Amino acid sequence: MPGAGQQATARAGFHRAMPHGAQSRVLIVDDSLVTRSIIQRIVESLSGFEVAASVPSAEAALDFLTQHGVDIIILDIEMPNRDGLDALPDLLQRSQQACILVLSSHCGDGAPASIRALALGASDTLSKPDRQFYSREFVAALHQRLQLLADGRRSRHDPVPVVLARPALTLCPLQCIAIGSSTGGIPAIHQLLTALDPRVDAPILITQHLPTDFMPHFVRHIDELKLRPVSMAVQGARLQRGHIYCAPGDAHLGLERADGQVRINLLPDWPASAYKPSVDPMMQAVARWFGASGAGVMLSGMGSDGLAGARALAKQGAPVYVQDIETSTVWGMPGSVARAGLASVILPPAGIAGFIADCWLESAT
């Protein structure tokens, strides 16, 4: 993601590497003065955070960002003149890819606005109380999200040891692609799928960390790209070439062989992971059933879910493609694979798509 808006960055001279222990600067954008005042008090009650500014509109936020840098933007949706979702891409560019937390009453559990915000590049969403009553639970949730975003942002600037990519592989016909992602993963998935040559028709499995209620909207968002048939993974469904299958929120996406064909096998539990759905069982299933003819893609996300799955793929001789630190919202999941020396290539999402097409289409001829 970083890389856009380089002229603005050079002009304003902000967003140097943020050392551990530094204050995280927060910009609050909401048309309600009462809401801004309450959110400011909540932010400033969390150690390690300071409010850089509190402004009533997207236009005011963009003006502020022309001269000042911030690490996190708390953004409302409904505002006069220009709503938050419409302004979100410009705020990302002007802020040099600050983390954006969309705080809105429209971002309840499973709300389409939440998926749209994440697809546009927001790092997280949180439902704003309908009335001016902010419970302890809300304050704790806001504190938790801010801390996670600050920790993830600092990880972008951590020293990264140079990890040589795995040696060139002897490519087999591509039979299945497994994509894993979490925070920042939705726009990365969008970029990868949009850039992927339609002639690469191997079935694509996607595990994105999202609550169960969000999953239908996530699948609908991918389907609206009009690139390939997309569906929620269903128990026993046969994998079809050219199709995309997304893990549901209440089960892990596994595979099994039945009637001589590889089919979806939804797993209610996976004891080795705290996530549901988890990337590990999906990638391990691809390694088991497709071997070197499978491929893994690790996109932006916190933590290290998928590392065990990447090891299984690498052991079979299958490639593992990793999103680079510069374009990742959080280089946790991809970083863990890269640091373990399991990455075949480390590229932006569109670059991964191009690499897959160049390699696999050439091997197919």
Side-chain angles (χ1 to χ4, degrees):
M1 286 173 149
Q6 293 293 340
Q7 292 181 348
T9 303
R11 182 173 62 250
F14 56 82
H15 278 309
R16 298 178 297 274
M18 185 171 61
H20 288 283
Q23 293 282 100
S24 294
R25 290 168 52 81
V26 179
L27 172 63
I28 301 169
V29 188
D30 196 299
D31 61 314
S32 167
L33 176 59
V34 173
T35 297
R36 295 200 309 274
S37 299
I38 295 173
I39 298 301
Q40 179 165 345
R41 289 200 298 272
I42 294 173
V43 171
E44 291 179 338
S45 70
L46 182 60
S47 176
F49 291 81
E50 62 178 353
V51 174
S54 173
V55 298
S57 67
E59 291 87 347
L62 290 167
D63 288 344
F64 177 83
L65 292 170
T66 300
Q67 297 297 329
H68 306 278
V70 300
D71 303 294
I72 299 171
I73 300 172
I74 300 177
L75 178 65
D76 188 22
I77 290 180
E78 283 192 320
M79 293 184 291
N81 299 323
R82 191 176 188 189
D83 70 60
L85 293 184
D86 178 70
L88 200 154
D90 289 340
L91 291 168
L92 278 171
Q93 182 176 18
R94 189 71 60 85
S95 67
Q96 191 56 25
Q97 307 300 325
C99 293
I100 295 184
L101 170 62
V102 174
L103 178 63
S104 170
S105 58
H106 293 280
C107 290
D109 291 343
S114 296
I115 295 297
R116 188 179 171 210
L118 294 169
L120 288 169
S123 297
D124 206 345
T125 66
L126 180 62
S127 179
K128 184 198 300 182
D130 292 333
R131 299 186 181 133
Q132 303 298 339
F133 172 73
Y134 292 78
S135 66
R136 290 182 179 178
E137 291 76 14
F138 171 80
V139 173
L142 180 55
H143 278 178
Q144 179 189 46
R145 281 165 165 78
L146 290 173
Q147 193 64 64
L148 287 171
L149 293 179
D151 292 345
R153 187 163 180 80
R154 288 189 183 96
S155 73
R156 294 187 194 175
H157 306 297
D158 288 342
V160 180
V162 176
V163 180
L164 297 178
R166 290 161 54 205
L169 304 170
T170 301
L171 298 181
C172 305
L174 184 57
Q175 298 295 324
C176 189
I177 302 171
I179 301 173
S181 59
S182 185
T183 306
I186 294 179
I189 291 170
H190 185 152
Q191 294 160 24
L192 189 151
L193 294 178
T194 301
L196 188 60
D197 192 310
R199 292 176 295 172
V200 178
D201 66 348
I204 297 173
L205 312 181
I206 298 176
T207 292
Q208 163 71 39
H209 292 169
L210 281 174
T212 302
D213 291 343
F214 284 63
M215 287 303 184
H217 302 290
F218 171 64
V219 173
R220 190 175 304 119
H221 164 72
I222 300 298
D223 187 51
E224 287 172 353
L225 298 177
K226 303 298 182 187
L227 300 172
R228 303 159 191 253
V230 183
S231 63
M232 191 89 75
V234 176
Q235 177 65 31
R238 178 176 61 87
L239 293 191
Q240 299 183 62
R241 296 195 74 84
H243 285 237
I244 298 173
Y245 304 89
C246 300
D250 58 355
H252 307 287
L253 178 48
L255 299 172
E256 63 183 358
R257 186 174 292 278
D259 302 325
Q261 297 177 324
V262 178
R263 297 177 180 272
I264 300 291
N265 181 29
L266 297 181
L267 306 170
D269 297 301
W270 192 259
S273 177
Y275 299 96
K276 183 183 279 192
S278 170
V279 178
D280 279 325
M282 174 186 68
M283 289 193 170
Q284 290 184 29
V286 171
R288 177 182 179 184
W289 295 110
F290 293 102
S293 294
V297 179
M298 192 65 71
L299 301 177
S300 177
M302 293 182 184
S304 59
D305 183 33
L307 177 58
R311 289 190 191 280
L313 284 167
K315 187 176 180 179
Q316 293 293 327
V320 181
Y321 307 114
V322 169
Q323 184 174 357
D324 62 347
I325 191 171
E326 291 80 11
T327 64
S328 296
T329 300
V330 182
W331 209 57
M333 290 162 60
S336 67
V337 174
R339 290 185 174 96
L342 301 172
S344 302
V345 294
I346 304 174
L347 292 168
I352 292 173
F355 192 90
I356 291 173
D358 289 345
C359 291
W360 294 101
L361 291 176
E362 180 179 344
S363 70
T365 58

